[in-house]
Amino acid sequence: MNPMPANSNADHAGVTPLTLGLREDGFAFVQAADMHALLAAHGRLEDWTDFVASWNELPIDNYLAAVGRQRRRRHAVYCAPSRGPITRAPHQAHFQTLNYNTLQGDIERWFEPVDAAIAEGPTLSTVLGFARDFFAPLSPQVAAWHVEVHQFRIEPSATQAGEPTPEGVHRDGVDYVLVLLVDRKNIRSGTTTIHTHDGREVGSFTLTEALDAALVDDARVFHGVTAVTPVDTDAPAHRDVLVVTFRALTA
């Protein structure tokens, strides 16, 4: 699909052409150059090198390993008011019901926390600020958001493909999702597909460059990512993404 133009010119309510595209289609693909411009308009990215390097320190997801799959991850939770500072919440479990995760639903999953230097650093703060300000005009009635941050590394090998979404095509059980590619090395495929509730595919694209991004209205569409395999089976391979989810907090 063609990427959505990331015109940052907004009307008085903060609505941009990108926002309108998400409102109309339920998803948007933003190319790296456009995403960089959007992020730079919201804050600083000077720790980007350290941010990327932090994916080298992700521990194994033991819950997934228990069912014969493999990936690495860390997790953090934030509270984001519709306006004002976004603050990190105490470390807590990640939970999805079986309705949204048929592989590992109804389980409180405790992952190692995102390192403090990354969690409080300028790059992640900028990403969170952009995402909050982007999604807010879509739900102006929401006063505050429960935000979860996931660092994921998928490592395919010569004997096993890597599965970015082992639960298959799914919804996350939140309101909005941002998927940001951080690094991609020696892999093929990893195509994101977007589906309606009846399973019809309505979009597909592949995150190939650092800062390529997908924006998803989770209530409206399902999403999945095809398995990745190494191009050179004798060399290390990985797909690193940052996933940020927003769920409205109710009074």
Side-chain angles (χ1 to χ4, degrees), residues 153-200:
R153 168 168 284 187
I154 307 300
E155 297 173 310
S157 68
T159 58
Q160 186 175 35
E163 296 178 288
T165 53
E167 64 272 61
V169 174
H170 67 287
R171 290 163 57 208
D172 288 330
V174 296
D175 292 291
Y176 303 107
V177 182
L178 164 66
V179 182
L180 186 73
L181 185 69
V182 173
D183 192 30
R184 178 184 170 110
K185 180 178 180 181
N186 187 35
I187 61 168
R188 57 168 59 92
S189 195
T191 297
T192 299
T193 60
I194 306 293
H195 304 257
T196 59
H197 287 228
D198 61 5
R200 179 170 54 92

Side-chain angles (χ1 to χ4, degrees), residues 15-220:
V15 176
T16 68
L18 182 59
T19 311
L20 294 173
L22 185 69
R23 181 178 289 165
E24 179 178 342
D25 299 327
F27 70 98
F29 166 47
V30 185
Q31 289 185 316
D34 289 332
M35 194 66 192
H36 183 272
L38 289 168
L39 293 175
H42 272 76
R44 309 184 331 269
L45 301 170
E46 68 261 28
D47 69 333
W48 175 256
T49 299
D50 291 338
F51 182 76
V52 174
S54 71
W55 265 255
N56 296 327
E57 306 300 326
L58 302 187
I60 291 290
D61 177 344
N62 290 320
Y63 297 94
L64 201 59
V67 293
R69 316 288 180 87
Q70 182 171 317
R71 67 182 169 196
R72 297 178 181 273
R73 71 188 295 176
R74 288 184 185 270
H75 175 240
V77 178
Y78 295 79
C79 180
S82 59
R83 297 179 182 273
I86 298 172
T87 57
R88 189 173 186 178
H91 193 54
Q92 55 197 265
H94 174 55
F95 181 83
Q96 293 172 295
T97 68
L98 278 169
N99 291 334
Y100 294 106
N101 189 331
T102 57
L103 184 64
Q104 295 189 308
D106 288 351
I107 301 171
E108 283 197 346
R109 289 180 287 165
W110 288 88
F111 301 108
E112 290 297 312
V114 175
D115 182 76
I118 300 303
E120 299 161 14
T123 293
L124 187 52
S125 296
T126 294
V127 171
L128 293 176
F130 158 76
R132 187 267 309 274
D133 293 347
F134 175 78
F135 292 133
L138 295 166
S139 298
Q141 76 284 2
V142 175
W145 300 92
H146 174 86
V147 181
E148 296 197 38
V149 167
H150 306 266
Q151 293 178 287
F152 287 113
R153 168 168 284 187
I154 307 300
E155 297 173 310
S157 68
T159 58
Q160 186 175 35
E163 296 178 288
T165 53
E167 64 272 61
V169 174
H170 67 287
R171 290 163 57 208
D172 288 330
V174 296
D175 292 291
Y176 303 107
V177 182
L178 164 66
V179 182
L180 186 73
L181 185 69
V182 173
D183 192 30
R184 178 184 170 110
K185 180 178 180 181
N186 187 35
I187 61 168
R188 57 168 59 92
S189 195
T191 297
T192 299
T193 60
I194 306 293
H195 304 257
T196 59
H197 287 228
D198 61 5
R200 179 170 54 92
E201 184 177 311
V202 292
S204 67
F205 47 87
T206 304
L207 308 181
T208 59
E209 295 186 39
L211 292 179
D212 277 354
L215 299 160
V216 179
D217 183 337
D218 193 61
R220 291 183 54 197

